[in-house]
Amino acid sequence: MSDSPQTPSFAALDRVGFPSFDPGTVWLVGAGPGAPGLLTLLGYHALTRADAVIYDALVGTEILQWVPQGALLEYAGKRGGKPSAHQSDISTRLVDLARAGKRVLRLKGGDPFMFGRGGEECQTLAAAGVPFRIVPGITAGIGGVGYTGIPVTHRDTNHSVLFLTGHDSSGTVPAGVDWAAVATAAPVLVMYMAVKNLPAIAEKLMDGGRTPDDAVAVVSHATLPEQSVVDSTLGAVGELAAAGALTTPAIVVVGPTVSLRADVGRYVEQMGIGDVG
Ligand code: SAH
């Protein structure tokens, strides 16, 4: 078996009973947080068979090497200040390509159903009668954060964890979030897309009962060579964000498991898995 990028064989995978990727169907595949090894085997299987791949901004570029030569490769994300493609346009494109008889692979960063609009695309596909499959991925807020030595749960500290997004479709702090309730709902909060609004979010969490010395870690470019971690506190992190000191994309983790990185992260680093900052 060769693992050369030019000739991805993974031949033994062909003997695994993977579902067949049929023409005229759409597979929504989670690419994981970035490092190519974090794509699932089913995702890899599908990627090497796709006729059309529509991918998002946070998909690790190395993963795209497995798209077959001659396959249609389309970018559907936001980059370089340009506005992102409209969600309805992307969903319509998936339907059109499937109806043209393609094996359509919709490749999304992390997991398609974690703040990934996978649900919206599935609704459109379902309404159009296009068969589709979900291939889950490793989400940045669990696996990406875990790469730095921060577990999102630990029996000594938390029996629950809360995932939230720090901005809504208009880019502002989501009005639909009850911040006072969130502040105390779970010891550990994992926040996606939260850097821009972090000054306001940190204030709301403290207003809701979190203390200023709550540990915070900001994990940027998780699992990629440029991965970095900034350690802070709820009282101080808003200022760091406002000063532009935090790199995106980033996950912001609040709560006691952040401090475990001091023990766990050291060994992660020794194993050479990643730069733990
Ligand atoms: N579906 C994705 C999340 C998409 S929302 C998932 O499951 O991971 C985009 C947000 O995800 C980014 O703003 C950032 O908060 C987070 N994110 C994605 N990839 C990341 C990475 N490699 N490192 C840190 N944060 C990441």
Side-chain angles (χ1 to χ4, degrees), residues 25-257:
T25 68
V26 177
W27 284 28
L28 276 85
V29 176
L38 299 177
L39 179 69
T40 65
L41 292 180
L42 184 56
Y44 171 81
H45 166 86
L47 201 53
T48 57
R49 283 158 179 76
D51 300 314
V53 176
I54 315 289
Y55 68 102
D56 274 350
L58 292 177
V59 169
T61 47
E62 280 190 273
I63 286 167
L64 297 176
Q65 74 189 331
W66 291 316
V67 175
Q69 285 211 337
L72 183 73
L73 182 61
E74 274 182 20
Y75 175 68
K78 194 193 293 193
R79 194 172 283 166
K82 297 205 186 100
S84 51
H86 280 294
Q87 187 57 47
S88 55
D89 295 344
I90 299 170
S91 301
T92 305
R93 182 81 179 128
L94 299 178
V95 170
D96 290 348
L97 287 167
R99 286 190 175 150
K102 308 270 189 223
R103 295 175 188 84
V104 185
L105 192 145
R106 177 73 172 111
L107 191 61
K108 292 170 167 292
D111 183 275
F113 282 172
M114 180 66 103
F115 303 126
R117 304 189 197 166
E120 293 163 55
E121 290 171 19
C122 289
Q123 285 174 308
T124 305
L125 294 169
V130 172
F132 59 90
R133 177 180 293 278
I134 310 301
V135 182
I138 294 177
T139 190
I142 303 178
V145 165
Y147 234 58
T148 72
I150 299 173
V152 293
T153 70
H154 189 293
R155 285 196 302 174
D156 291 345
T157 58
N158 62 311
H159 292 91
S160 60
V161 52
L162 192 152
F163 298 93
L164 64 96
T165 172
H167 79 175
D168 63 16
S169 50
S170 68
T172 52
V173 179
V177 173
D178 180 344
W179 291 97
V182 162
T184 53
V188 174
L189 310 178
V190 175
M191 306 197 277
Y192 293 69
M193 297 175 274
V195 169
K196 184 173 144 247
N197 294 328
L198 202 47
I201 290 170
E203 282 303 321
K204 285 175 188 293
L205 293 175
M206 289 185 285
D207 288 348
R210 305 289 297 215
T211 58
D213 55 2
D214 269 11
V216 174
V218 181
V219 179
S220 303
H221 294 292
T223 79
L224 292 169
E226 59 271 39
Q227 173 179 293
S228 65
V229 186
V230 171
D231 287 304
S232 187
T233 61
L234 205 51
V237 78
E239 229 166 88
L240 290 178
L246 305 175
T247 309
T248 58
I251 295 283
V252 181
V253 192
V254 181
T257 60

